[in-house]
Amino acid sequence: NAGVMQNPRHLVRRRGQEARLRCSPMKGHSHVYWYRQLPEEGLKFMVYLQKENIIDESGMPKERFSAEFPKEGPSILRIQQVVRGDSAAYFCASSRPGQAANYGYTFGSGTRLTVV
Amino acid sequence: EDQVTQSPEALRLQEGESSSLNCSYTVSGLRGLFWYRQDPGKGPEFLFTLYSAGEEKEKERLKATLTKKESFLHITAPKPEDSATYLCAVQAKQGGSEKLVFGKGTKLTVNP
Protein backbone atom coordinates (compact mmCIF):
# COMPACT_ATOMS: atom_id res chain seq x y z
CA ASN A 1 0.00 0.00 0.00
CA ALA A 2 1.86 2.99 -1.28
CA GLY A 3 -0.24 5.60 0.49
CA VAL A 4 -1.21 8.92 -1.07
CA MET A 5 1.33 9.81 -3.75
CA GLN A 6 1.96 13.39 -4.71
CA ASN A 7 4.29 14.63 -7.39
CA PRO A 8 6.40 16.48 -7.87
CA ARG A 9 7.71 16.93 -4.33
CA HIS A 10 9.21 20.29 -5.24
CA LEU A 11 8.18 22.58 -8.08
CA VAL A 12 9.72 25.88 -9.08
CA ARG A 13 7.85 28.15 -11.46
CA ARG A 14 8.46 31.65 -12.71
CA ARG A 15 5.72 34.24 -12.28
CA GLY A 16 3.12 33.82 -15.02
CA GLN A 17 3.78 30.13 -15.66
CA GLU A 18 1.39 27.29 -14.96
CA ALA A 19 1.79 24.78 -12.14
CA ARG A 20 0.29 21.28 -12.25
CA LEU A 21 0.24 19.26 -9.05
CA ARG A 22 -0.70 15.58 -9.11
CA CYS A 23 -2.22 13.34 -6.48
CA SER A 24 -2.86 9.61 -6.63
CA PRO A 25 -5.09 8.54 -3.73
CA MET A 26 -4.63 5.39 -1.71
CA LYS A 27 -5.94 2.21 -3.28
CA GLY A 28 -9.67 1.94 -2.64
CA HIS A 29 -10.06 5.65 -1.82
CA SER A 30 -12.41 7.54 -4.12
CA HIS A 31 -12.50 10.87 -2.27
CA VAL A 32 -9.73 13.43 -2.68
CA TYR A 33 -9.13 16.70 -0.83
CA TRP A 34 -6.63 19.45 -1.50
CA TYR A 35 -5.23 21.71 1.23
CA ARG A 36 -2.73 24.56 1.11
CA GLN A 37 -0.25 25.40 3.86
CA LEU A 38 1.25 28.86 3.71
CA PRO A 39 4.35 29.66 5.78
CA GLU A 40 3.39 30.23 9.43
CA GLU A 41 -0.24 29.41 8.63
CA GLY A 42 -2.40 26.40 9.23
CA LEU A 43 -3.65 24.05 6.58
CA LYS A 44 -6.48 25.61 4.57
CA PHE A 45 -9.09 23.57 2.76
CA MET A 46 -9.29 24.18 -0.97
CA VAL A 47 -11.44 21.56 -2.71
CA TYR A 48 -13.09 18.17 -2.25
CA LEU A 49 -13.56 15.88 -5.23
CA GLN A 50 -14.95 12.49 -6.03
CA LYS A 51 -14.36 10.72 -9.31
CA GLU A 52 -15.42 13.12 -12.09
CA ASN A 53 -17.20 15.42 -9.64
CA ILE A 54 -16.30 18.52 -7.64
CA ILE A 55 -18.23 18.26 -4.38
CA ASP A 56 -17.03 21.34 -2.49
CA GLU A 57 -14.76 24.04 -3.91
CA SER A 58 -15.54 26.68 -1.31
CA GLY A 59 -11.86 27.13 -0.45
CA MET A 60 -10.59 27.58 -3.98
CA PRO A 61 -9.60 31.06 -5.14
CA LYS A 62 -12.07 32.17 -7.80
CA GLU A 63 -9.45 32.82 -10.44
CA ARG A 64 -6.46 30.89 -11.77
CA PHE A 65 -7.08 27.74 -9.69
CA SER A 66 -8.86 24.61 -10.89
CA ALA A 67 -9.01 20.97 -9.85
CA GLU A 68 -10.13 17.74 -11.43
CA PHE A 69 -10.32 14.07 -10.56
CA PRO A 70 -10.93 12.15 -13.77
CA LYS A 71 -12.32 8.65 -14.05
CA GLU A 72 -8.86 7.39 -14.84
CA GLY A 73 -5.64 8.84 -13.50
CA PRO A 74 -4.63 11.12 -10.67
CA SER A 75 -6.31 14.22 -9.34
CA ILE A 76 -4.77 17.42 -10.72
CA LEU A 77 -4.59 20.82 -9.05
CA ARG A 78 -3.82 23.42 -11.69
CA ILE A 79 -2.65 26.96 -10.99
CA GLN A 80 -2.49 29.27 -13.98
CA GLN A 81 -0.33 32.41 -14.18
CA VAL A 82 1.30 31.79 -10.82
CA VAL A 83 2.23 34.69 -8.54
CA ARG A 84 4.66 34.82 -5.60
CA GLY A 85 1.75 34.53 -3.16
CA ASP A 86 1.01 31.05 -4.50
CA SER A 87 4.27 29.78 -2.97
CA ALA A 88 3.17 27.21 -0.40
CA ALA A 89 2.99 23.52 0.38
CA TYR A 90 0.01 21.84 -1.26
CA PHE A 91 -1.25 18.67 0.37
CA CYS A 92 -3.59 16.08 -0.98
CA ALA A 93 -5.59 13.73 1.24
CA SER A 94 -7.84 10.80 0.41
CA SER A 95 -10.47 8.70 2.14
CA ARG A 96 -12.94 5.92 1.56
CA PRO A 97 -16.61 6.90 1.27
CA GLY A 98 -18.13 7.33 4.71
CA GLN A 99 -14.97 6.41 6.60
CA ALA A 100 -13.11 9.68 6.81
CA ALA A 101 -14.28 10.48 10.31
CA ASN A 102 -13.39 7.09 11.77
CA TYR A 103 -10.04 6.56 10.14
CA GLY A 104 -9.01 10.10 9.38
CA TYR A 105 -7.88 11.41 6.08
CA THR A 106 -4.62 10.02 4.74
CA PHE A 107 -2.36 12.82 3.61
CA GLY A 108 0.41 12.75 1.05
CA SER A 109 3.81 14.29 1.64
CA GLY A 110 2.89 17.40 -0.29
CA THR A 111 4.20 19.45 -3.20
CA ARG A 112 6.23 22.49 -2.29
CA LEU A 113 5.64 25.17 -4.88
CA THR A 114 8.08 28.05 -5.12
CA VAL A 115 7.31 30.93 -7.45
CA VAL A 116 10.33 33.01 -8.43
CA GLU B 1 -17.26 30.90 10.95
CA ASP B 2 -15.61 27.75 12.31
CA GLN B 3 -12.34 28.47 14.10
CA VAL B 4 -9.58 26.51 15.81
CA THR B 5 -6.96 28.04 18.09
CA GLN B 6 -4.04 26.01 19.39
CA SER B 7 -1.78 26.88 22.29
CA PRO B 8 1.02 27.18 22.96
CA GLU B 9 2.53 27.83 19.53
CA ALA B 10 5.71 26.10 20.63
CA LEU B 11 6.62 23.92 23.61
CA ARG B 12 9.99 22.62 24.77
CA LEU B 13 10.07 19.69 27.18
CA GLN B 14 12.74 17.57 28.71
CA GLU B 15 12.47 13.86 28.08
CA GLY B 16 10.03 12.43 30.63
CA GLU B 17 8.41 15.80 31.39
CA SER B 18 4.66 15.39 30.86
CA SER B 19 2.53 18.24 29.52
CA SER B 20 -0.64 19.12 27.60
CA LEU B 21 -1.44 20.89 24.35
CA ASN B 22 -4.66 22.87 24.02
CA CYS B 23 -7.09 23.19 21.12
CA SER B 24 -9.98 25.63 21.50
CA TYR B 25 -12.68 25.59 18.88
CA THR B 26 -15.91 27.18 17.75
CA VAL B 27 -17.96 25.26 15.25
CA SER B 28 -21.56 25.23 14.10
CA GLY B 29 -22.27 21.69 15.28
CA LEU B 30 -19.28 19.43 15.82
CA ARG B 31 -19.10 16.35 13.66
CA GLY B 32 -15.61 15.41 14.77
CA LEU B 33 -12.38 16.80 16.21
CA PHE B 34 -9.16 15.44 14.75
CA TRP B 35 -5.59 15.37 16.00
CA TYR B 36 -2.71 14.96 13.58
CA ARG B 37 1.04 14.85 13.91
CA GLN B 38 3.22 16.51 11.25
CA ASP B 39 6.95 15.98 10.90
CA PRO B 40 9.08 18.48 8.93
CA GLY B 41 8.72 18.03 5.18
CA LYS B 42 5.92 15.50 5.54
CA GLY B 43 2.15 15.41 5.44
CA PRO B 44 -0.03 15.21 8.56
CA GLU B 45 -0.35 11.78 10.13
CA PHE B 46 -3.71 10.87 11.65
CA LEU B 47 -3.77 10.28 15.42
CA PHE B 48 -7.33 10.49 16.78
CA THR B 49 -10.91 11.47 16.10
CA LEU B 50 -13.14 12.57 18.99
CA TYR B 51 -16.88 13.01 18.55
CA SER B 52 -18.53 14.12 21.77
CA ALA B 53 -17.75 15.87 25.04
CA GLY B 54 -16.28 13.52 27.61
CA GLU B 55 -14.71 11.22 25.07
CA GLU B 56 -11.08 10.15 25.51
CA LYS B 57 -8.69 8.22 23.29
CA GLU B 58 -5.17 6.95 23.90
CA LYS B 59 -2.27 5.87 21.77
CA GLU B 60 1.06 5.04 23.40
CA ARG B 61 2.15 8.20 25.29
CA LEU B 62 -0.66 10.34 23.87
CA LYS B 63 -4.14 10.86 25.27
CA ALA B 64 -6.75 13.12 23.71
CA THR B 65 -9.76 14.48 25.57
CA LEU B 66 -12.72 16.58 24.45
CA THR B 67 -15.05 19.10 26.07
CA LYS B 68 -17.70 21.28 24.44
CA LYS B 69 -15.21 24.07 23.80
CA GLU B 70 -11.75 22.53 23.73
CA SER B 71 -9.62 19.46 23.38
CA PHE B 72 -6.39 18.55 25.11
CA LEU B 73 -3.59 16.34 23.91
CA HIS B 74 -1.79 15.00 26.96
CA ILE B 75 1.74 13.72 26.46
CA THR B 76 2.99 11.46 29.22
CA ALA B 77 6.73 10.95 29.71
CA PRO B 78 7.60 12.17 26.20
CA LYS B 79 10.60 10.95 24.24
CA PRO B 80 12.67 12.85 21.66
CA GLU B 81 10.87 10.97 18.87
CA ASP B 82 7.63 12.69 19.96
CA SER B 83 9.07 15.95 18.64
CA ALA B 84 6.77 17.18 15.88
CA THR B 85 4.05 19.72 15.16
CA TYR B 86 0.67 18.62 16.48
CA LEU B 87 -2.36 19.81 14.54
CA CYS B 88 -5.95 20.03 15.68
CA ALA B 89 -8.86 20.23 13.23
CA VAL B 90 -12.65 20.28 13.40
CA GLN B 91 -15.28 19.10 11.00
CA ALA B 92 -18.70 20.70 11.09
CA LYS B 93 -21.99 18.88 10.69
CA GLN B 94 -23.57 21.49 8.50
CA GLY B 95 -23.67 21.34 4.74
CA GLY B 96 -22.45 17.77 4.41
CA SER B 97 -18.99 18.99 3.57
CA GLU B 98 -16.08 16.85 4.56
CA LYS B 99 -13.66 19.75 4.95
CA LEU B 100 -11.49 20.12 8.01
CA VAL B 101 -10.70 23.47 9.64
CA PHE B 102 -7.18 23.34 11.09
CA GLY B 103 -5.42 25.28 13.79
CA LYS B 104 -1.89 26.53 13.23
CA GLY B 105 -0.41 23.77 15.33
CA THR B 106 1.83 23.40 18.37
CA LYS B 107 5.48 22.68 17.65
CA LEU B 108 6.73 20.28 20.30
CA THR B 109 10.43 19.75 20.95
CA VAL B 110 11.51 17.06 23.40
CA ASN B 111 15.12 17.30 24.49
CA PRO B 112 17.02 14.18 25.63
Side-chain angles (χ1 to χ4, degrees):
Chain A
N1 193 344
V4 177
M5 303 301 292
Q6 289 189 249
N7 65 77
R9 289 294 309 274
H10 299 275
L11 182 62
V12 179
R13 284 287 177 266
R14 296 185 187 278
R15 280 178 293 171
Q17 290 185 320
E18 178 179 290
R20 280 182 175 247
L21 288 62
R22 294 175 183 76
C23 169
S24 295
M26 280 186 69
K27 187 176 180 181
H29 287 194
S30 58
H31 295 195
V32 164
Y33 316 81
W34 286 93
Y35 285 80
R36 176 165 65 174
Q37 189 170 40
L38 292 164
E40 308 305 320
E41 294 290 326
L43 284 154
K44 302 291 186 187
F45 169 80
M46 299 182 75
V47 63
Y48 161 37
L49 310 104
Q50 297 175 16
K51 286 283 187 182
E52 300 185 282
N53 284 305
I54 297 175
I55 307 302
D56 180 358
E57 56 182 348
S58 58
M60 286 276 274
K62 294 287 185 279
E63 297 179 353
R64 303 186 297 109
F65 285 73
S66 63
E68 63 177 6
F69 189 16
K71 187 177 180 180
E72 301 291 337
S75 175
I76 305 288
L77 179 66
R78 182 182 177 205
I79 310 173
Q80 294 178 292
Q81 300 176 323
V82 296
V83 300
R84 289 229 170 102
D86 297 332
S87 295
Y90 291 82
F91 290 96
C92 171
S94 71
S95 71
R96 292 180 185 273
Q99 293 190 359
N102 289 332
Y103 300 103
Y105 301 81
T106 304
F107 280 83
S109 293
T111 292
R112 278 141 190 88
L113 172 66
T114 302
V115 179
V116 297
Chain B
E1 184 181 338
D2 302 334
Q3 282 191 321
V4 176
T5 303
Q6 291 188 247
S7 62
E9 290 184 11
L11 180 63
R12 285 186 174 273
L13 299 173
Q14 288 299 121
E15 185 171 2
E17 180 186 1
S18 301
S19 188
S20 296
L21 313 183
N22 177 263
C23 171
S24 298
Y25 65 91
T26 55
V27 64
S28 51
L30 180 69
R31 189 172 169 194
L33 184 140
F34 296 74
W35 281 99
Y36 282 86
R37 167 190 171 129
Q38 186 174 24
D39 292 296
K42 295 190 176 181
E45 177 187 341
F46 173 72
L47 293 174
F48 305 108
T49 309
L50 301 167
Y51 297 99
S52 57
E55 189 175 1
E56 299 182 351
K57 287 192 176 174
E58 287 188 67
K59 180 179 180 179
E60 296 182 358
R61 295 177 292 283
L62 300 177
K63 178 180 177 180
T65 62
L66 181 65
T67 72
K68 288 186 177 179
K69 293 184 178 180
E70 57 192 351
S71 176
F72 293 94
L73 186 65
H74 307 278
I75 303 176
T76 302
K79 298 182 178 181
E81 52 261 44
D82 295 322
S83 297
T85 296
Y86 290 86
L87 304 174
C88 174
V90 296
Q91 188 176 57
K93 282 182 181 176
Q94 287 188 348
S97 175
E98 304 252 335
K99 71 178 179 184
L100 300 179
V101 176
F102 281 87
K104 293 184 180 182
T106 294
K107 184 177 181 180
L108 174 67
T109 304
V110 182
N111 296 315

